[in-house]
Amino acid sequence: MGGRLADLGGGMRLSEGWNLVFTDAGTCIAPSDVPLTSGFIPAPVPGTVAEALEKAGRFDRTKPQLLQDRDAWYICRLVDAGAGEAVLRLEGLATLCEVFLNGQKILVSESMFEAHDVDVTLLGGDELALCFRALEPKLSEPGPRARWRPQMITPQGLRMVRTTLLGHMPGWCPEVQAVGPWRPISLLRPSAPVVRDLSLRPDLLENGEGRLYASVAIEGDVEELALRYGETEQAFENDGAGRYTAILKIPDVAPWWPHTHGVPHLHDVTLVIDGVEHALGQTGFRRLSVDRGTDGQDFALIVNGERIFCRGAVWTTADIVRLPGGRDDYLSWLRLAAEAGMNMIRIGGTMAYETPDFFRLCDELGLLVWQDFMFANFDYPKNDKAFNTHVEVEVSQLLNRTRLSPSLAVLCGGSEIHQQAAMMGLPEQFWKSPVVEEIIPPLVQSLRPDVPYIVNSPSGGPMPFSPNAGVTHYYGVGAYMRPLADARRADVRFAAESLAFAHVPQPRTLGRHLPVPAVHSPLWKERVPRDRGASWDFEDMRDHYLHEFYGFEPNRLRREDPDLYLNLSRAVTGEVAEETYAEWRRHGSGCNGALVWTLQDLLPGAGWGVIDSTGEPKPVWYALRRAFRPVQVLLVDEGTNGLDVHIINESDAVLELTVEVSCLRDGRQIVVGGGRDLVVEARGKQKIACTDLFGAFFDTTYAFRFGPPSHDVTVARLTTSATGMVIAQAFYFPLGRARAFHDAEITASAVQEGEDWFLDLSTDRLAQSVQIDLEAYRAEDDWFHLAPGSSRRIRLDRRDGIPADAIPMGQIRTIGSRRIVEV
């Protein structure tokens, strides 16, 4: 039988009854060689060796042991599988694996990223065994000479092996190596007719017509074969050689949009065979392209004819030990991404491919996916036929798995291959890799022509990392400690990575999972990311901006007031993010998108993630949520040109809005103010000079310095004209944030409406970085600035496991005051 068997829901997962045992590398050739006296432990499948050991109390993810120096055997008796013909489907084996059925070797797998279908004959009561051979000997084998060696990855032999780089980047992530059947194993029982090589691809034409292209190979007699999308159905045509094709057309279909710009419309797709319905999943219709600009140097994603400002984060993994791929594993992370206003998630080339469940959730939530292929930093071999075959298989399988997903928006050859070569001083002709330049592009064009492809991230300029052309990884603000003005000076077009900081988690996470002195404890420092060999870490970068924004000397502050140091550290990375995104999103900016590095941490601590490893949003997450609002107001300092107000409407509706700007002395007295009613077009932006709102000159930026400063904060408020509901606020500090610290008196009350709880807040003067700490509830906004003059209502979401009748109780603080408000 040829071609991949279509799984139409009749498979049996082999997830129970597995046992794991270790043997010395290469000592046991077959399962019968494994001593019966060996120490077997129960092992989850899908799962990893690290997961099995952790559940048995024999593995500590904070101090991981080496897992690739021995052979790991998974053995299972198929007690529930009857005799007969079947297909054994193995969806992912990490990394060098031999598969045995009843003692006979039936498969050798050399790539973590390939799935396998093996035709088998079962006898009943069969034994299935998987031997994951030690990777260490393979990594020490000599390969073709590399033109460069990346510092961040160890060992260098990984360039020749198709496995994840997670666990092999000291300073970046825990050194937990991927070993084991990390993706499901199942038995499929083909029944007449046999369905193979099912291919589906949605498309949206410029005239608004949706098309679903389908082809399938069928062995056996079929009288009726149809494709159904929602209520629309189309019969297949037989080409006479057992292959059937169909093009289902839907005029004026409701398109799929990223959730920041519209509704991610989806409908069920069904294959009907002789009256029997087989659900294939859901899909939506969208049209993608990349605008390179008149100079060919731009990079802007166009969705359904509209230019989209892409913002979001780089995905790491749902769990560094388990490497899970189920819907429940992904749901909380991706839901928080969407809740923060992100519209794009990037799966970077240093990570691992995720499952169709990941893409289905992104489809539902309206999150675009930037997918790197798993190639990063290395000088990959050029003429190794076996290696190139692995590349072709893994790329083809990924593209086929995601065939129905409208969320897949960008395909990228890999991460920082060009950059590594360029930074080593090699000329451009040496940057290019046949893998990303020659092997992958024709596969993308054949299997997913609807998705734009770029060869590498970053790439596009005179240097691959030049921020003013193509796609960049921008760390000018951040690791390179450039002033915030560099975000404009660098002329960033699209940042596939940016704004990496050691973000400090909320106090509740540290109190439960890392109760040690910040910075001074070796355990704390172990969790702070760093570049291998560098004399600095990403906490040093954060401290630089703490001094720039608040004027405190971080080393002294840590000693004398560690609580204030931690709170300023929590606040500052969010403040940097909000100001930087304001620059990138303003009217007139040439930036088309930027993704933060990264979405989630892998261990509790001050990691790169904007969500900590327990799933709790960090303070910076709330700042990004404010920065990413689809309908937004911004205040941008233009020096002696004054302060400009920018209003953004990314929705598909015309909005009637009111903008008001007030300059406050001592955080409460209005010195000057003004407002205007606006009509903002759909997908539109407007810019207004503050002096136009005030009706006269006023030194809002304190650029002219004629006399003492008259105010310490400017507040912009955007409301709906009809209801007065506040949509967004923005704050500007002409003298710096520390000069606007006030001992604000905050009034707080918890209010219940139906089954929902809210917190009503008001203040007598500006309160900076208001922190809401409630044991049973998480506030929809946190670490925000609260202005006087009106009350603000904050929705409270009950935490998991909290009873419905729990009453909100806790405390409210600000970084500018020692006051504590009890709720």
Side-chain angles (χ1 to χ4, degrees):
M1 296 185 293
R4 187 168 174 80
L5 184 70
D7 184 359
L8 300 180
M12 179 178 74
R13 284 281 182 95
L14 303 180
S15 56
E16 304 292 335
W18 290 90
N19 288 289
L20 167 66
V21 64
F22 293 98
T23 61
D24 290 337
T27 58
C28 296
I29 305 304
S32 57
D33 299 329
V34 178
L36 296 176
T37 56
S38 300
F40 289 85
I41 63 172
V45 175
T48 65
V49 167
E51 178 184 7
L53 291 174
E54 187 176 65
K55 288 185 175 181
R58 294 168 54 180
F59 186 85
D60 182 354
R61 66 177 64 199
T62 66
K63 299 177 181 178
Q65 67 212 53
L66 184 65
L67 298 175
Q68 294 178 336
D69 60 343
R70 294 177 292 167
D71 293 344
W73 291 83
Y74 280 70
I75 300 175
C76 178
R77 182 69 65 178
L78 307 182
V79 294
D80 295 327
E85 303 299 318
V87 173
L88 178 65
R89 175 161 291 176
L90 305 112
E91 298 188 34
L93 305 168
T95 288
L96 305 180
C97 183
E98 297 171 1
V99 181
F100 299 84
L101 182 63
N102 298 326
Q104 298 298 310
K105 188 185 298 184
I106 59 173
L107 175 69
V108 176
S109 177
E110 297 181 328
S111 171
M112 175 178 175
F113 303 132
E114 292 179 26
H116 303 275
D117 280 1
V118 184
D119 295 332
V120 296
T121 301
L122 301 180
L123 307 176
D126 303 80
E127 181 189 76
L128 183 61
L130 315 174
C131 180
F132 295 90
R133 297 295 182 185
L135 190 58
E136 264 199 341
K138 177 72 172 179
L139 296 176
S140 62
E141 292 178 2
R145 184 177 179 179
R147 293 167 295 179
W148 67 84
R149 292 172 175 265
Q151 288 291 313
M152 60 175 273
I153 304 167
T154 58
Q156 296 298 314
L158 284 166
R159 64 188 279 260
M160 301 299 296
V161 180
R162 297 308 301 136
T163 193
T164 180
L165 298 181
L166 287 168
H168 298 280
M169 296 176 285
W172 281 43
C173 68
E175 295 183 62
V176 180
Q177 290 108 30
V179 182
W182 72 304
R183 291 295 179 248
I185 300 174
S186 54
L187 280 173
L188 282 67
R189 301 278 189 170
S191 58
V194 178
V195 179
R196 297 185 184 278
D197 296 333
L198 176 61
S199 175
L200 299 161
R201 183 174 64 84
D203 194 15
L204 179 65
L205 305 186
E206 291 190 12
N207 63 6
E209 178 181 274
R211 289 191 176 184
L212 185 57
Y213 300 93
S215 68
V216 64
I218 295 185
E219 300 167 6
D221 295 329
V222 173
E223 294 183 2
E224 178 189 359
L225 185 64
L227 183 67
R228 184 183 300 155
Y229 174 84
E231 301 300 320
T232 306
E233 189 170 298
Q234 175 65 49
F236 280 80
E237 295 182 0
N238 188 350
D239 67 0
R243 187 149 201 98
Y244 297 77
T245 59
I247 303 176
L248 187 149
K249 302 177 181 180
I250 308 170
D252 298 320
V253 69
W256 183 94
W257 286 97
H259 75 102
T260 52
H261 288 69
V263 178
H265 289 287
L266 295 170
H267 289 284
D268 294 328
V269 179
T270 305
L271 183 67
V272 183
I273 305 174
D274 291 337
V276 179
E277 298 182 354
H278 302 276
L280 302 178
Q282 290 188 315
T283 196
F285 296 91
R286 52 91 184 105
R287 188 172 66 259
L288 296 173
S289 63
V290 170
D291 183 357
R292 294 285 184 175
T294 56
D295 59 359
Q297 301 295 301
D298 209 357
F299 187 94
L301 190 64
I302 309 298
V303 181
N304 304 331
E306 295 289 344
R307 198 180 191 93
I308 303 294
F309 184 88
C310 300
R311 64 276 198 170
V314 179
W315 175 267
T316 53
T317 176
D319 189 301
I320 186 62
V321 168
R322 296 168 50 225
L323 298 180
R327 180 182 175 90
D328 291 342
D329 301 304
Y330 297 132
L331 181 58
S332 61
W333 302 109
L334 293 177
R335 185 176 282 164
L336 282 173
E339 187 181 331
M342 298 183 187
N343 61 18
M344 177 174 275
I345 298 292
R346 175 179 169 223
I347 303 175
T350 53
M351 311 304 175
Y353 297 114
E354 300 299 342
T355 68
D357 279 344
F358 181 95
F359 290 88
R360 291 185 192 111
L361 277 168
C362 290
D363 296 340
E364 295 171 21
L365 295 168
L367 292 170
L368 300 162
V369 179
W370 174 304
Q371 174 71 68
D372 281 7
F373 293 101
M374 295 302 121
F375 301 94
N377 298 77
F378 283 120
D379 179 20
Y380 290 98
K382 283 187 174 182
N383 301 309
D384 188 311
K385 291 184 179 180
F387 185 90
N388 292 345
T389 298
H390 286 309
V391 173
E392 292 171 356
V393 171
E394 75 178 64
V395 169
S396 298
Q397 289 184 350
L398 173 73
L399 298 180
N400 280 315
R401 286 197 305 268
T402 56
R403 62 191 183 273
L404 284 178
S405 290
S407 59
L408 184 59
V410 178
L411 290 164
C412 178
S415 173
E416 296 192 352
I417 299 173
H418 291 186
Q419 175 173 303
Q420 283 287 328
M423 284 192 163
M424 294 293 181
L426 296 174
E428 184 174 357
Q429 64 264 30
F430 292 104
W431 304 350
K432 297 184 178 180
S433 166
V435 169
V436 302
E437 309 271 355
E438 300 169 16
I439 298 174
I440 298 178
L443 294 171
V444 171
Q445 183 57 38
S446 172
L447 298 173
R448 288 305 301 262
D450 58 308
V451 182
Y453 175 78
I454 64 171
V455 293
N456 203 240
S457 179
S459 62
M463 287 285 108
F465 41 83
S466 299
N468 62 351
V471 173
T472 192
H473 294 178
Y474 176 74
Y475 294 113
V477 174
Y480 306 146
M481 296 187 292
R482 301 287 295 167
L484 262 63
D486 190 71
R488 178 180 298 193
R489 186 179 298 119
D491 190 21
V492 175
R493 302 297 184 94
F494 193 107
E497 296 175 17
S498 65
L499 300 179
F501 288 97
H503 300 293
V504 180
Q506 297 277 31
R508 62 182 292 116
T509 296
L510 295 182
R512 295 177 181 182
H513 300 281
L514 194 62
V516 299
V519 181
H520 298 292
S521 166
L523 183 56
W524 175 279
K525 273 299 187 184
E526 285 178 9
R527 308 286 176 85
V528 175
R530 63 188 59 80
D531 280 332
R532 188 165 174 246
S535 61
W536 50 270
D537 61 27
F538 284 82
E539 194 151 58
D540 298 324
M541 307 304 100
R542 188 190 67 227
D543 282 351
H544 168 80
Y545 289 97
L546 186 155
H547 180 265
E548 290 293 306
F549 273 53
Y550 296 106
F552 292 94
E553 201 284 307
N555 290 330
R556 181 174 180 179
L557 187 64
R558 276 200 306 268
R559 294 192 300 271
E560 298 179 356
D561 196 339
D563 287 340
L564 179 58
Y565 167 76
L566 275 182
N567 280 332
L568 290 175
S569 297
R570 292 183 176 103
V572 71
T573 58
E575 294 290 289
V576 171
E578 283 200 74
E579 286 213 18
T580 305
Y581 272 101
E583 168 57 41
W584 286 338
R585 293 188 69 194
R586 65 178 174 82
H587 184 279
S589 168
C591 184
N592 303 300
L595 311 178
V596 299
W597 180 271
T598 61
L599 181 67
Q600 69 268 72
D601 282 345
L602 302 175
L603 289 175
W608 282 315
V610 300
I611 307 170
D612 72 38
S613 63
T614 73
E616 180 79 17
K618 295 183 183 179
V620 67
W621 179 90
Y622 294 94
L624 292 174
R625 188 173 186 266
R626 295 187 290 271
F628 292 165
R629 287 177 291 219
V631 182
Q632 177 72 303
V633 63
L634 307 170
L635 290 172
V636 178
D637 183 346
E638 298 293 348
T640 54
N641 288 315
L643 194 65
D644 283 346
V645 186
H646 296 254
I647 299 94
I648 300 170
N649 173 23
E650 291 181 333
S651 76
D652 58 0
V654 176
L655 297 181
E656 295 184 1
L657 304 171
T658 300
V659 63
E660 297 173 304
V661 177
S662 301
C663 298
L664 307 181
R665 177 186 295 133
D666 297 328
R668 60 177 175 178
Q669 181 182 350
I670 298 177
V671 178
V672 66
R676 180 179 297 178
D677 292 331
L678 307 168
V679 176
V680 186
E681 297 298 319
R683 323 283 193 212
K685 295 181 180 181
Q686 292 189 21
K687 180 180 74 171
I688 307 169
C690 279
T691 49
D692 288 346
L693 297 177
F694 302 154
F697 168 74
F698 183 77
D699 191 6
T700 49
T701 59
Y702 195 51
F704 296 94
R705 302 182 183 274
F706 296 150
S710 60
H711 66 296
D712 54 25
V713 65
T714 299
V715 182
R717 181 182 285 113
L718 189 67
T719 61
T720 58
S721 299
T723 65
M725 182 181 70
V726 177
I727 298 174
Q729 287 183 301
F731 297 81
Y732 172 75
F733 301 92
L735 312 176
R737 287 159 177 76
R739 291 282 295 275
F741 281 169
H742 300 292
D743 190 21
E745 185 173 335
I746 296 175
T747 302
S749 59
V751 178
Q752 187 174 24
E753 291 188 358
E755 297 182 354
D756 298 324
W757 281 96
F758 300 86
L759 194 63
D760 286 343
L761 299 174
S762 60
T763 181
D764 66 332
R765 65 193 70 195
L766 175 73
Q768 284 191 60
S769 298
V770 176
Q771 309 145 40
I772 301 173
D773 185 11
L774 306 177
E775 183 62 27
Y777 289 83
R778 179 174 71 84
E780 68 173 341
D781 199 7
D782 203 359
W783 294 84
F784 57 87
H785 304 323
L786 185 65
S790 63
S791 177
R792 181 170 179 194
R793 172 161 288 193
I794 306 291
R795 181 184 178 88
L796 303 179
D797 296 320
R798 197 167 64 251
R799 297 183 184 277
D800 291 341
I802 300 299
D805 60 352
I807 296 174
M809 298 179 66
Q811 297 179 333
I812 298 174
R813 296 176 172 86
T814 74
I815 60 170
S817 171
R818 298 288 183 178
R819 289 177 187 259
I820 298 176
V821 179
E822 300 287 342
V823 178

